[in-house]
Amino acid sequence: MTRDIVIAPSILAANFAKLGEEIAAIDAAGADWIHCDVMDGHFVPNISFGADIIKAIRPITRKAFDVHLMIAPVDPYIEAFAKAGADIITVHAEAGPHLDRSLQAIGALGKKAGVSLCPATPETAIEHVLDRVDLILVMTVNPGFGGQSFLDSQIGKIRRIRSMIGGRPIRLEVDGGITRDNAAAVAAAGADTLVAGSAVFRGNDSADYARNIGAIRLAAEAGRVPNSAPPARAVETALR
Ligand code: DX5
Ligand code: ZN
């Protein structure tokens, strides 16, 4: 069944000592996509994991792998993430001078292309690449770490990007500090895809994760903007 709201748990908050089991648990708990945060210790002040880990966990679930690259330079690594099994590859608008080229490279590899904006970056940075993207990711914390507090300053940007998207089949994703308490507000502003790390991986098992995902989904659905549903559905269908 196609659902309007997509919930993408970030495995950054998983227990890395049992990463495979954690992915199976969020799969069973109703995660729509698996959000993979790749950090290089250069573009962001933290190091997480790379393409080899993504390749190793790829067989565990059939859910879409939503790969968020917080790395610079990004172009030399796009192909490796495509080969590792990413379905969506998101690059940062701030990661290099040739965003349009990076997005073309992702599309040429047959993957969905995403672009992300840090909190201080205005939405005008992506004005001229809208026809190249399948997903726009608005960072609602400064990228680099899980467990940070949601930045209210991003709500207006989410609303403005929703209006820039118009009728295009682009998903609008939010990432950072998302909980059941702010899910309705981001959905009301126009987000249809919610990443959540610490708010999902709270508790011990798949049943806890299912409750967490369910609460975020319910809140987002309650806040949802009705007229943004058709384009969101089109992209989701394409990804399944
Ligand atoms: C931050 C990452 C996020 C983060 C989300 O740089 O892109 O995906 O892990 O984690 P929470 O939901 O804990 O803020
Ligand atoms: Zn992320």
Side-chain angles (χ1 to χ4, degrees):
M1 193 185 84
T2 306
R3 285 184 290 218
D4 288 341
I5 294 285
V6 162
I7 306 292
S10 164
I11 59 170
L12 192 64
N15 180 346
F16 284 180
K18 48 172 191 171
L19 188 54
E21 289 166 45
E22 292 273 74
I23 289 163
I26 50 167
D27 185 351
D32 296 303
W33 296 354
I34 311 299
H35 187 81
C36 304
D37 285 309
V38 177
M39 303 179 179
D40 65 353
H42 168 73
F43 179 68
V44 290
N46 194 10
I47 299 176
S48 59
F49 51 81
D52 286 347
I53 298 283
I54 290 175
K55 188 177 174 191
I57 59 178
R58 179 63 276 192
I60 295 168
T61 172
R62 298 178 68 173
K63 304 275 170 74
F65 268 30
D66 175 30
V67 175
H68 178 191
L69 297 180
M70 288 162 275
I71 64 175
V74 67
D75 290 359
Y77 302 100
I78 288 172
E79 191 173 357
F81 287 99
K83 284 189 174 152
D87 297 287
I88 307 150
I89 300 179
T90 297
V91 298
H92 267 263
E94 308 86 356
H98 306 298
L99 177 60
D100 185 85
R101 177 181 288 145
S102 305
L103 294 168
Q104 282 194 59
I106 297 167
L109 289 161
K111 304 298 178 182
K112 300 287 176 190
V115 64
S116 181
L117 298 174
C118 287
T121 306
E123 65 277 9
T124 49
I126 55 169
E127 207 179 332
H128 301 294
V129 295
L130 284 179
D131 291 323
R132 295 227 188 270
V133 300
D134 302 288
L135 177 143
I136 298 169
L137 190 170
V138 175
M139 288 304 308
T140 43
V141 298
N142 285 292
F145 303 95
Q148 303 180 78
S149 297
F150 177 82
L151 296 171
D152 288 320
S153 58
Q154 301 307 299
I155 292 279
K157 192 201 285 182
I158 296 165
R159 198 175 294 120
R160 290 191 296 277
I161 293 177
R162 169 53 66 195
S163 126
M164 280 167 69
I165 288 173
R168 294 176 179 87
I170 298 174
R171 276 210 161 259
L172 180 49
E173 183 171 54
V174 286
D175 184 7
I178 299 297
T179 67
R180 65 185 71 187
D181 298 325
N182 55 34
V186 292
D192 54 36
T193 304
L194 281 69
V195 176
S198 25
V200 167
F201 287 96
R202 192 169 284 149
N204 301 308
D205 54 25
S206 190
D208 289 329
Y209 301 165
R211 269 189 292 278
N212 299 337
I213 290 171
I216 296 168
R217 189 190 303 284
L218 203 68
E221 278 168 356
R224 186 162 176 74
V225 189
N227 67 8
S228 63
R233 238 185 233 120
V235 177
E236 190 176 351
T237 305
L239 282 165
R240 285 184 171 180

